[in-house]
């Protein structure tokens, strides 16, 4: 933008904080609003998701008929709060026979009907409380999908592909160099917004093919003849999906992993959310697990209660540099290690890696 505030562009993309979204919608009067999901995050800052959903509902109800709301209808709360709004609504979601969950995870947040309070029934469950849902009393049901993601191919920690069908148009195959089922939702959301704006599907294909993950989000770093893969974790659902991504193909963790937990303001001061993460997925096998960060000892304790053998758990110093060096020492030369940090722990680790010449500082990327 210019000094005078001219954005010098036709389209601006604003990723909004949960609490800031209503005010941003009021001030910006956006042409398109994308609602991807609503998961519990930093309860000490935002409160329960019902309060956030209520605030969002008021903001969305004020949008004019000329606006468009692109909403993940697999999320029961989002589907409900966008029902009957004046703005045009475009729904998206998944229709996938594989990669389904057998039951609601412990960390699922919105699995009850917002109209009658009954527990929802799922005909397909994909991520947390996202899926093909319905109220057993008939009060509400997942609405028909305008944009559908299907035939998903999860390619380990490297990439994914998904076919997307928008209305009567033939399906488009989209590939992106980020992994995980949760990113399949992001891909389908991108296609849905492009559909809402009338863009050519070929633009989406090319744009996603050229996309590279942001710093710390499945970022690959070469250091001391090892490959480190950084995957940001910051709430129960996100952490569960990262663990699912790392274990789904092998049935357990097979790569040395360091979990870095901080509790600064940007992370959320209350780390009790760690008890809602399904670390029991890591209980099998003999792959070593290291913990670090301000609350590294809390993380080690959580792993112990998840059934991870104490002989596999190594508590490293809380400071980023010595923890990083000790973790890298434990990885064979030419090998790979996973690092799962909270937000400020990720910044600390990348600052160290930048000082060692392994990465660029994020504002230069």
């Amino acid at each position: 933008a210019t000094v005078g505030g001219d954005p010098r562009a036709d389209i601006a993309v604003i990723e909004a904080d949960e609490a800031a979204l209503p005010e941003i919608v009021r001030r910006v009067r956006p042409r398109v609003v994308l609602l991807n999901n609503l998961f519990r995050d930093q309860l000490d800052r935002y409160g329960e998701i019902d309060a956030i959903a209520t605030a969002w509902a008021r903001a969305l109800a004020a949008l004019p008929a000329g606006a468009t709301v692109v909403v993940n209808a697999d999320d029961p709360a989002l589907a409900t709060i966008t029902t009957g709004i004046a703005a045009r609504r475009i729904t998206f979601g998944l229709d996938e026979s594989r990669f389904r969950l057998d039951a609601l995870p412990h960390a699922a947040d919105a699995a009850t009907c917002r109209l009658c309070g009954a527990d929802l029934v799922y005909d397909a469950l994909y991520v947390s409380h996202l899926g093909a849902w319905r109220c057993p009393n008939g009060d509400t049901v997942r609405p028909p999908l305008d944009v559908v993601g299907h035939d998903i191919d999860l390619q380990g920690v490297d990439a994914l592909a998904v076919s997307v069908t928008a209305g009567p148009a033939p399906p488009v195959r989209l590939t992106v160099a980020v992994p995980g089922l949760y990113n399949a939702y992001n891909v389908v959301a991108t296609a849905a917004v492009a559909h809402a704006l009338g863009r050519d599907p070929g633009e989406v294909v090319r744009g996603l093919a050229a996309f590279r993950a942001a710093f710390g989000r499945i970022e690959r770093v070469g250091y001391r003849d090892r490959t480190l893969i950084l995957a940001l974790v910051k709430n129960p659902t996100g952490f569960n999906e990262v663990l699912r991504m790392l274990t789904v193909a092998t049935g357990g963790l097979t790569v040395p992993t360091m979990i870095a937990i901080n509790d600064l303001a940007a992370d959320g001061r209350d780390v009790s959310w760690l008890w809602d993460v399904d670390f029991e997925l890591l209980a099998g096998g003999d792959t070593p697990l290291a913990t670090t960060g301000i609350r590294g000892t809390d993380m080690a304790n959580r792993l112990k209660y998840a059934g991870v053998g104490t002989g596999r758990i190594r508590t490293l110093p809380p400071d980023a540099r010595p923890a990083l060096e000790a973790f890298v020492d434990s990885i064979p030369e030419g090998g790979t290690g996973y690092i799962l940090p909270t937000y400020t722990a990720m910044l600390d680790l990348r600052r160290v890696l930048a000082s060692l010449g392994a990465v660029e500082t994020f504002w230069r990327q």
Side-chain angles (χ1 to χ4, degrees):
T2 65
V3 174
D6 182 0
R8 296 186 294 189
D10 298 319
I11 294 178
V13 178
I14 302 172
E15 182 180 4
D17 178 278
E18 296 97 317
L21 178 65
E23 185 64 11
I24 290 175
V25 168
R26 186 184 71 81
R27 294 191 183 201
V28 175
R29 298 188 298 277
R31 179 179 170 190
V32 177
V33 175
L34 168 63
L35 302 177
N36 209 355
N37 54 62
L38 187 53
F39 296 138
R40 179 176 12 136
D41 192 13
Q42 301 187 29
L43 295 181
D44 51 338
R45 295 179 64 191
Y46 300 130
E48 293 288 348
I49 63 170
D50 282 348
I52 298 172
T54 299
W56 285 12
R58 288 194 293 265
L60 298 170
L63 287 171
T68 298
V69 175
V70 179
V71 58
N72 183 356
D74 285 1
D75 189 315
L78 298 185
T80 303
I81 66 174
T82 56
T83 299
I85 59 175
R88 178 178 66 145
R89 184 175 77 165
I90 292 179
T91 60
F92 70 91
L94 300 184
D95 183 9
E96 177 61 48
S97 59
R98 301 180 300 162
F99 309 118
R100 294 183 178 184
L101 296 172
D102 295 328
L104 280 167
H106 177 63
D109 295 313
T112 58
C113 176
R114 287 181 63 86
L115 301 182
C116 72
D119 290 340
L120 295 174
V121 175
Y122 283 84
D123 298 313
L125 184 63
Y126 302 115
V127 173
S128 186
H129 56 264
L130 307 185
W133 53 271
R134 54 188 169 86
C135 171
N137 297 325
D139 289 320
T140 185
V141 64
R142 183 182 72 167
L145 302 178
D146 300 310
V147 180
V148 185
H150 52 95
D151 296 316
I152 297 170
D153 178 20
L154 300 181
Q155 301 164 15
V157 296
D158 298 318
L160 70 89
V162 56
S163 295
V164 177
T165 301
V172 177
R173 191 68 174 170
L174 301 173
T175 302
V176 63
V178 292
L181 189 62
Y182 58 98
N183 276 317
Y185 271 110
N186 292 332
V187 170
V188 179
T190 301
V193 171
H195 172 70
L197 293 172
R199 309 302 298 186
D200 181 75
E203 293 182 81
V204 182
V205 173
R206 293 188 294 272
L208 289 174
F211 176 80
R212 294 298 177 265
F215 68 95
R217 278 80 166 177
I218 318 297
E219 179 182 18
R220 293 175 177 271
V221 177
Y223 178 57
R224 288 176 45 191
D225 195 31
R226 281 86 163 171
T227 298
L228 305 177
I229 299 178
L230 279 67
L232 176 69
V233 292
K234 63 189 187 74
N235 59 47
T237 294
F239 213 142
N240 277 342
E241 286 306 305
V242 168
L243 296 180
R244 185 180 177 191
M245 175 186 68
L246 299 182
T247 60
V248 65
T250 58
L253 191 66
T254 59
V255 174
T257 299
M258 180 173 74
I259 304 175
I261 304 296
N262 279 359
D263 63 352
L264 300 178
D267 307 295
R269 297 288 188 181
D270 182 359
V271 297
S272 63
W273 63 271
L274 293 173
W275 293 88
D276 288 332
V277 179
D278 296 328
F279 290 111
E280 288 72 15
L281 288 170
L282 308 180
D286 56 5
T287 302
L289 283 158
T291 66
T292 184
I294 298 170
R295 304 300 288 269
T297 54
D298 295 78
M299 186 65 248
N301 187 53
R302 175 67 184 94
L303 291 174
K304 182 186 73 173
Y305 276 91
V308 178
T310 55
R312 294 174 55 200
I313 303 170
R314 183 183 179 194
T315 304
L316 300 178
D319 294 333
R321 176 67 184 270
L324 175 67
E325 297 292 0
F327 177 60
V328 172
D329 285 341
S330 71
I331 304 171
E333 287 191 17
T336 297
Y338 297 144
I339 300 178
L340 313 182
T342 56
Y343 186 71
T344 66
M346 181 264 290
L347 295 181
D348 289 343
L349 286 163
R350 290 197 87 264
R351 193 175 297 116
V352 170
L353 289 166
S355 72
L356 296 168
V359 299
E360 291 185 334
T361 48
F362 68 85
W363 57 84
R364 292 178 179 170
Q365 290 185 311

